[in-house]
Amino acid sequence: MLPEEIKKFIEIFEKLPSIGPRQATRLAFRFVSLGTAKIEEIARAIFDLNKIKTCSRCFFIYSGEGDICQRCVDKNRQRDIFMVLEKETDLITIERTKKYNGLYLVLGELTKSGVLESWQKLRLGILKKIIEQELPSKKAKEIIIALNPNTYGDLNTSLIEKELKSHAQKISRLGRGIPTGGEIEFADEETLTHSLQRRE
Amino acid sequence: MLPEEIKKFIEIFEKLPSIGPRQATRLAFRFVSLGTAKIEEIARAIFDLNKIKTCSRCFFIYSGEGDICQRCVDKNRQRDIFMVLEKETDLITIERTKKYNGLYLVLGELTKSGVLESWQKLRLGILKKIIEQELPSKKAKEIIIALNPNTYGDLNTSLIEKELKSHAQKISRLGRGIPTGGEIEFADEETLTHSLQRRE
């Protein structure tokens, strides 16, 4: 009943994160209604994502020359502190706070299996090599393991900590507690325990 | 902080229906992670939406030759019954029931202002002309106005009914009642009233 072009579009888009068949269908109709020029602009914007590269040090994305991103060569950043995180979007959120000025390692999405993927171990290996080659003490001043504070995050944090502890004077995690705007009444026990233990 | 290509992508996608800045960002990273071949396939799928045309009779979309869709020339459909609906996705849902075999008019998204847009009046005018030219009695056997059953839908149904009543022996709406799987306890009064009055 639907034209092939629409079917193909839906087939691709319904598989994307948090887009189901219904939203994919609605998107298809929206795109069609936008007209030729806009459709071409959107297709071009997607095509241009091919210019994006992944930094071979921190594994965040960048575009431009070389194979290392601008952040990793920035002499104004503190070069003996590293933050290990799961997703690019986590990095963006941390950067937005403007409260962290060290370097990063994006580890990629963690499984719930309790083992790191081999390519994730490779990334940790690259971080260790960077520390060995660039820091006279061969130890980072601090490595912050910034994973989501839940059971899997805690499990993976332990795995990563084991891999990295020989290369850092200190390994830390993000502090837990009641979020700003949150309510004590609805906080879970573990959060409250943390916020009591780490009271400011 | 983000590459231009990603910013551009987010700028376009965050404006689409039910995609905000967060989901647009996540989509961008997902696309990048899919790699060159897949990115090109997605861009191509969007580009190909340019082949989609809007039928000049029913205003549903189609691809192929001519300026009338396959459904509108289908001799196996009943050609003196018409259903007026708001969105293409409504038509798809109705077709899926396989319980309607008449023709359609897609009116496009209705405003909440209580007036029809001029291009929507044009579409109703085209329907009237089709009825005058193709039906010997110059009246449709039935026109079903199938808008969402809410205050704005009811208001717009009245407006459309006024426009079309001279061209139809009968004007109808979709029956209201308790949906299959619904619970009497939680049904609103109006729905219950309808389902009592139209009991089967």
Side-chain angles (χ1 to χ4, degrees):
Chain A
M1 181 181 62
L2 287 172
E4 277 313 310
E5 295 82 3
I6 299 269
K7 280 192 202 150
K8 174 77 182 163
F9 176 95
I10 294 172
E11 195 191 304
I12 290 176
F13 273 75
E14 69 183 1
K15 291 183 202 120
L16 295 172
S18 57
I19 297 186
R22 290 181 75 92
Q23 209 195 338
T25 309
R26 254 182 284 137
L27 267 184
F29 286 112
R30 170 58 63 105
F31 283 163
V32 169
S33 77
L34 294 173
T36 312
K38 195 74 189 168
I39 288 175
E40 277 174 24
E41 186 193 350
I42 296 170
R44 166 64 51 192
I46 291 181
F47 190 79
D48 281 350
L49 293 179
N50 269 335
K51 292 182 193 152
I52 299 295
K53 297 187 258 184
T54 302
C55 173
S56 60
R57 274 176 70 109
C58 73
F59 296 93
F60 192 69
I61 50 131
Y62 73 106
S63 65
E65 297 298 305
D67 56 13
I68 289 172
C69 76
Q70 294 85 335
R71 192 181 295 108
C72 278
V73 296
D74 185 349
K75 295 292 169 209
N76 292 318
R77 297 191 78 106
Q78 205 176 334
R79 305 189 65 82
D80 52 2
I81 294 190
F82 297 87
M83 187 183 291
V84 178
L85 24 73
E86 188 176 358
K87 298 189 301 275
E88 286 97 340
T89 40
D90 296 338
L91 189 155
I92 294 173
T93 311
I94 296 279
E95 278 291 282
R96 239 180 241 139
T97 67
K98 297 203 168 73
K99 291 290 184 300
Y100 177 72
N101 194 36
L103 300 174
Y104 290 98
L105 179 75
V106 178
L107 207 51
E109 265 180 75
L110 294 157
T111 62
K112 297 186 169 178
S113 64
V115 280
L116 296 171
E117 304 276 345
S118 57
W119 54 271
Q120 292 176 321
K121 286 196 179 166
L122 272 176
R123 291 188 183 187
L124 291 174
I126 287 170
L127 175 59
K128 288 193 264 186
K129 202 160 281 173
I130 288 169
I131 291 170
E132 288 166 15
Q133 290 175 350
E134 295 178 15
L135 300 178
S137 69
K138 302 202 183 304
K139 272 178 191 274
K141 198 170 154 201
E142 183 175 353
I143 296 177
I144 307 161
I145 304 174
L147 305 187
N148 286 332
N150 56 41
T151 314
Y152 296 111
D154 289 348
L155 177 63
N156 283 308
T157 298
S158 309
L159 293 177
I160 296 165
E161 188 167 357
K162 233 198 267 178
E163 293 276 340
L164 295 179
K165 67 179 169 200
S166 59
H167 286 69
Q169 285 165 41
K170 183 180 161 190
I171 301 239
S172 63
R173 310 173 183 203
L174 294 179
R176 298 196 190 177
I178 303 188
T180 307
E183 293 190 39
I184 296 172
E185 187 181 346
F186 303 119
D188 64 286
E189 243 172 80
E190 218 188 301
T191 301
L192 270 180
T193 305
H194 277 284
S195 75
L196 276 168
Q197 287 167 342
R198 301 170 43 91
R199 57 191 185 273
E200 296 163 54
Chain B
M1 180 181 61
L2 286 172
E4 278 312 311
E5 294 82 4
I6 299 270
K7 280 192 204 152
K8 175 78 182 163
F9 176 95
I10 294 171
E11 196 190 304
I12 290 177
F13 273 76
E14 70 183 0
K15 291 183 203 120
L16 295 173
S18 56
I19 297 185
R22 289 182 75 92
Q23 208 196 338
T25 309
R26 255 183 285 137
L27 266 185
F29 285 112
R30 170 57 64 108
F31 283 162
V32 169
S33 77
L34 294 174
T36 312
K38 195 76 189 167
I39 288 174
E40 278 173 23
E41 187 193 350
I42 296 170
R44 166 65 49 193
I46 291 181
F47 190 80
D48 281 349
L49 294 179
N50 269 335
K51 293 181 192 153
I52 301 294
K53 297 187 258 185
T54 302
C55 173
S56 60
R57 275 176 69 109
C58 72
F59 296 93
F60 193 70
I61 50 131
Y62 72 107
S63 65
E65 297 298 305
D67 56 15
I68 289 173
C69 75
Q70 293 85 334
R71 193 180 295 108
C72 279
V73 296
D74 185 350
K75 296 291 170 209
N76 292 317
R77 296 191 79 105
Q78 205 177 333
R79 305 190 65 82
D80 52 2
I81 294 190
F82 297 86
M83 188 183 291
V84 178
L85 24 74
E86 189 176 357
K87 299 190 298 275
E88 285 97 342
T89 40
D90 296 337
L91 189 155
I92 294 172
T93 310
I94 296 280
E95 279 291 282
R96 241 181 240 137
T97 67
K98 297 202 169 72
K99 291 289 184 301
Y100 177 73
N101 194 37
L103 300 174
Y104 290 98
L105 180 76
V106 178
L107 207 52
E109 265 181 73
L110 293 157
T111 63
K112 297 186 170 177
S113 65
V115 279
L116 296 171
E117 303 277 343
S118 57
W119 54 273
Q120 292 176 321
K121 286 195 178 165
L122 271 176
R123 291 188 183 186
L124 291 174
I126 287 169
L127 175 59
K128 288 193 264 186
K129 202 161 280 173
I130 289 170
I131 292 169
E132 288 166 15
Q133 291 175 350
E134 296 179 13
L135 300 178
S137 68
K138 302 204 185 300
K139 272 178 192 275
K141 196 169 155 205
E142 183 175 352
I143 297 177
I144 307 161
I145 304 174
L147 305 186
N148 286 331
N150 56 40
T151 314
Y152 296 111
D154 289 348
L155 178 62
N156 282 308
T157 299
S158 310
L159 293 176
I160 296 165
E161 188 168 357
K162 233 199 270 177
E163 293 276 341
L164 295 180
K165 67 179 167 199
S166 58
H167 286 69
Q169 286 166 40
K170 183 179 161 190
I171 300 241
S172 64
R173 309 172 183 204
L174 294 178
R176 297 195 190 177
I178 302 189
T180 307
E183 295 191 37
I184 295 172
E185 186 181 347
F186 303 119
D188 64 287
E189 243 173 80
E190 220 188 299
T191 301
L192 270 181
T193 306
H194 277 283
S195 74
L196 276 167
Q197 287 167 341
R198 301 170 43 90
R199 58 189 184 273
E200 298 162 54

